[in-house]
Amino acid sequence: MAKQENEIKENRGSRKDSADMLIYLNGEFVPSSKASVSVFDHGFLYGDGVFEGIAVYAGRPFRLEEHVKRLFDSARAIDLNIPLDENQVAKAILDTIRKNKLDEGYLRPIVTRGEGTLGLNPTYCRKPTFVIIPLRTRDYPLMNLGKQPARAIVSTIRRNPSFCTPASAKTLNYLNNILAKQQANAAGVDEAIMLDWTGAVSEGTGDNLFLVKRGRVFTASLHCSILPGVTRSAVMDACGNLGIKTVESELTLADLYMADEAFLTSTSLEIQALVEIDGRKIGNGREGTITKRVKRKFEEMKKKKNER
Ligand code: PMP
């Protein structure tokens, strides 16, 4: 609990600390204190939009192309027309890094349906809103949380199935994940693991889940309502390089309880050991040896130019 309170306190601080950042807003750079969007923006009114979260290491975005492609996939899933092409979006992201002299940080590109009427019909939203928010790692404590092992519960809130909202799109609709996170907060743990609508293990509220069993690494397959994480694919590549077999499958709760090791992956957490679930130790309750090896490989990947 104390850890979460610190996180909340530090996140509040981050807004003030990043007051000098320049925000990309519809093609222009504006100081964060002046960067605002309309109260009639459907991103604000209805969560009608998509976004990305991109890590910046040594002044370069990690796996930029994958993030840009996912942004366009997400937009296509909700029939949102991004006013720029993929190259122009990549350029806007690189310009945001340069303008802010961002060395180690995080970028949050957001595209909403734009300003419309109070009604939810998107037809009246004429022009999408495109924002890129940069943050320095030191102003974004979430980026350091992954260094400590995590404890989690299994949430009673399920991931949205794709026949309701597209689970594989990174949309602005995070309410079910927020409700799950509240359950983790109430239980005094770091994260909530969500199941898909069938009861298969899906992912964390903002991260993908990996299990290790007898030397093999397992993660939920794409049809288990997961977001296809960029860190998830980097981790699968890392395992490939290490000669560790990865399996994408439908995982049960029992698989999670019986795992030798588990870890969470996301842009902000990177790779975080998961050592407890529902009050039970996972494996020996400490960061496992395969988790450590994958983490080391990931550190190497962060330094490679062609990953960025
Ligand atoms: N699942 C969800 C629901 C997420 O919000 C995120 C973070 N964007 C992830 C998984 C991990 O994705 P990535 O590795 O691309 O950050």
Side-chain angles (χ1 to χ4, degrees):
M1 217 47 190
K3 192 169 148 202
Q4 278 149 12
E5 273 156 23
N6 274 343
E7 186 189 325
I8 292 163
K9 223 168 29 205
E10 286 170 39
N11 266 323
R12 281 208 190 110
S14 73
R15 233 171 294 153
K16 187 165 65 59
D17 296 338
S18 50
D20 58 331
M21 300 304 266
L22 291 171
I23 312 286
Y24 176 94
L25 178 59
N26 296 325
E28 283 171 32
F29 284 96
V30 284
S32 67
S33 58
K34 301 231 163 57
S36 53
V37 296
S38 163
V39 292
F40 291 100
D41 194 294
H42 277 212
F44 171 67
L45 288 173
Y46 297 116
D48 187 356
V50 296
F51 73 105
E52 271 305 313
I54 307 173
V56 177
Y57 301 122
R60 287 163 177 272
F62 185 71
R63 297 204 161 193
L64 177 61
E65 201 180 320
E66 271 185 61
H67 281 289
V68 172
K69 287 209 179 309
R70 190 173 64 182
L71 184 71
F72 277 80
D73 281 348
S74 300
R76 261 193 296 276
I78 66 163
D79 199 18
L80 170 64
N81 188 20
I82 298 182
L84 306 173
D85 65 25
E86 289 187 16
N87 286 332
Q88 290 167 322
V89 168
K91 182 176 181 306
I93 289 167
L94 293 169
D95 286 348
T96 307
I97 295 173
R98 212 170 15 245
K99 282 261 178 200
N100 287 284
K101 299 189 173 61
L102 195 62
D103 191 38
E104 299 291 318
Y106 176 90
L107 298 165
R108 172 66 61 89
I110 305 162
V111 191
T112 75
R113 191 79 60 182
E115 196 176 348
T117 63
L118 261 198
L120 57 79
N121 192 340
T123 312
Y124 304 109
C125 303
R126 302 254 172 249
K127 196 170 141 271
T129 304
F130 196 146
V131 176
I132 305 173
I133 305 171
L135 279 179
R136 295 183 205 93
T137 299
R138 68 166 197 268
D139 298 334
Y140 191 36
L142 258 187
M143 291 206 77
N144 292 313
L145 277 187
K147 297 195 172 77
Q148 301 298 324
R151 297 185 301 137
I153 51 150
V154 175
S155 175
T156 58
I157 309 284
R158 302 281 173 102
R159 281 282 292 168
N160 282 337
S162 283
F163 50 75
C164 292
T165 52
S168 58
K170 198 163 165 63
T171 74
L172 293 175
N173 280 260
Y174 262 61
L175 197 53
N176 65 330
N177 294 36
I178 290 167
L179 297 177
K181 190 76 178 181
Q182 284 176 328
Q183 292 185 326
N185 293 345
V189 297
D190 308 283
E191 184 53 308
I193 301 302
M194 301 176 78
L195 309 180
D196 73 3
W197 69 284
T198 69
V201 173
S202 184
E203 60 179 352
T205 62
D207 34 78
N208 294 110
L209 172 67
F210 285 81
L211 308 180
V212 182
K213 190 74 183 173
R214 296 200 181 98
R216 286 198 299 168
V217 169
F218 294 82
T219 193
S221 72
L222 294 179
H223 66 257
C224 296
S225 297
I226 64 160
L227 185 83
V230 171
T231 324
R232 175 183 181 274
S233 69
V235 160
M236 290 200 288
D237 290 347
C239 288
N241 288 336
L242 290 167
I244 299 169
K245 188 166 166 46
T246 51
V247 185
E248 293 173 82
S249 63
E250 217 171 85
L251 300 167
T252 66
L253 260 182
D255 293 328
L256 177 54
Y257 294 139
M258 295 186 298
D260 298 330
E261 303 175 28
F263 57 88
L264 305 170
T265 65
S266 79
T267 296
S268 46
L269 295 173
E270 298 180 347
I271 300 168
Q272 181 177 36
L274 180 67
V275 296
E276 185 191 294
I277 185 76
D278 287 341
R280 311 170 181 200
K281 272 185 195 170
I282 297 178
N284 63 9
R286 288 198 298 273
E287 183 173 294
T289 46
I290 290 196
T291 307
K292 283 192 179 127
R293 283 177 68 199
V294 176
K295 272 175 115 169
R296 269 199 299 274
K297 193 69 186 171
F298 187 76
E299 285 304 315
E300 280 172 29
M301 291 168 95
K302 279 165 59 177
K303 293 190 184 108
K304 275 200 194 136
K305 282 216 170 66
N306 60 4
E307 289 290 348
R308 307 195 228 134

